[in-house]
Amino acid sequence: PFGLENSVTAGIVSAKQRDTGDFLNFIQTDAAINPGNSGGPLINLRGEVVGINSQIYSRSGGFMGISFAIPIDEATRVADQLRSTGRVVRGRIGVQIGPVTKEVAESIGLGAPRGALVTGVEKDQPAEKAGVEAGDIITKVDGKTVEKSGDLPRIVGGLKPGVRASMQVFRRGATRDLVVSIAEFEAEKPARRAAAEPGTPPPAAVKSVLGITVSDLTDAQKRELRVRNGVRVDAVDGAAARAGLREGDVILSVDNTEVTDSKQFAAATAKADKADKAAKAVTVLVRRGEWVNYIVIRPGR
């Protein structure tokens, strides 16, 4: 470091699975890494190379006591691919994902927060062909448990393109087993927004007891969004607005029940008005733009 030859620093490994990147779990240590020894080996007490010093956490630009190293097994795998093919190949299935919060996990019957929430499925990609839907929670791939959302790209990225892998998803209160063919990782493609058919009059709006005014989707909007059913949010206030629901959102399900049209949505939410408003939470699956997420609405708040 800083031009000083043969320098060695010592530290303690704090974590072996620190999530700081899309495809890697890093080794965290407090061994000093500064300009000049980044890229050098992280060595254990037996003299074995266990990592490649790669990153630091810093507010000043200099070492502040936290550094990260690439695990040597991942570095070896990449080196082997570079030697054999000249490039690194990673798998992909064509989904956008987000974390599963404790509140969402409890409200949809998943239990503990785990897995990766599918917020979007790319058209004509492996996940869609396998039957994955927006709103699914992927809990296992190729027999490996997906504990958190960051695990999924690493598990899938480590699979060879062309292989068929088992996948377990949680959908509307039940677990389903799927089989997906892994594709090669490529750049993400921009998505288009849904548009109504020209000359089509706006559907009649229906207001639910949650303070959400919705209308039915046109056939053109369903085709653009690639959804079978759902309702569009035309206006929102009260608890729904505080929970984060917005005008223009598309509601796909209520409490694990698929929404078919605005009347069915009003009936599905009416029971929330009869329950204890201070305790009853209503979980809606919402499409916003091209991606989906769960929103938990508490009528009494």
Side-chain angles (χ1 to χ4, degrees):
F2 305 114
L4 302 172
E5 296 182 359
N6 302 322
S7 293
V8 177
T9 62
I12 296 171
V13 170
S14 301
K16 294 190 295 183
Q17 298 289 321
R18 190 65 76 199
D19 189 359
T20 67
D22 290 341
F23 295 103
L24 290 175
N25 278 324
F26 284 75
I27 300 170
Q28 179 187 327
T29 174
D30 62 355
I33 297 178
N34 283 298
N37 67 338
S38 58
L42 182 72
I43 300 172
N44 65 15
L45 290 175
R46 293 187 295 272
E48 300 165 334
V49 177
V50 296
I52 298 176
N53 298 323
S54 176
Q55 302 176 9
I56 61 172
Y57 175 84
S58 177
R59 293 179 177 176
S60 64
F63 177 69
M64 295 185 67
I66 298 178
S67 58
F68 302 97
I70 299 169
I72 197 60
D73 54 350
E74 175 65 17
T76 301
R77 190 181 73 83
V78 168
D80 288 343
Q81 287 195 52
L82 291 174
R83 277 195 293 265
S84 61
T85 66
R87 65 192 183 101
V88 176
V89 177
R90 299 186 187 277
R92 74 188 301 270
I93 57 174
V95 293
Q96 292 289 328
I97 57 172
V100 179
T101 66
K102 181 180 179 181
E103 189 173 35
V104 166
E106 292 175 348
S107 64
I108 65 174
L110 181 63
R114 58 188 174 88
L117 170 63
V118 177
T119 60
V121 182
E122 293 182 29
K123 187 176 182 180
D124 297 327
Q125 292 301 310
E128 183 185 62
K129 294 176 182 178
V132 178
E133 299 179 3
D136 286 350
I137 295 174
I138 300 175
T139 55
K140 279 187 179 181
V141 176
D142 195 37
K144 300 178 179 68
T145 301
V146 181
E147 296 290 350
K148 57 184 183 300
S149 59
D151 293 341
L152 183 64
R154 283 184 281 276
I155 295 172
V156 173
L159 296 174
K160 186 177 180 180
V163 305
R164 290 169 61 82
S166 61
M167 177 183 292
Q168 189 177 88
V169 302
F170 184 85
R171 180 187 302 166
R172 290 190 283 275
T175 298
R176 302 173 184 235
D177 293 318
L178 307 174
V179 177
V180 61
S181 296
I182 306 300
E184 185 175 342
F185 182 83
E186 59 186 21
E188 300 290 343
K189 298 177 181 178
R192 295 181 299 170
R193 289 183 175 274
E197 283 181 331
T200 302
V206 175
K207 186 171 183 178
S208 78
V209 295
L210 297 177
I212 309 169
T213 303
V214 301
S215 59
D216 294 333
L217 294 174
T218 66
D219 290 339
Q221 288 172 326
K222 290 178 182 178
R223 288 194 297 270
E224 286 287 340
L225 289 168
R226 290 181 283 116
V227 298
R228 295 186 299 270
N229 295 297
V231 292
R232 183 187 186 279
V233 176
D234 296 323
V236 59
D237 57 25
R242 291 192 295 273
L245 202 66
R246 302 178 189 171
E247 179 183 351
D249 286 347
V250 175
I251 297 176
L252 304 176
S253 71
V254 177
D255 287 340
N256 287 332
T257 300
E258 188 174 14
V259 172
T260 55
D261 54 32
S262 55
K263 291 183 178 179
Q264 187 258 351
F265 171 76
T269 55
K271 60 183 179 181
D273 194 42
K274 300 175 184 178
D276 181 1
K277 293 186 177 182
K280 175 63 176 176
V282 179
T283 304
V284 295
L285 181 62
V286 174
R287 179 78 171 255
R288 179 172 296 163
E290 195 64 19
W291 316 119
V292 307
N293 204 353
Y294 283 103
I295 292 179
V296 179
I297 304 171
R298 298 190 179 278
R301 294 184 181 179

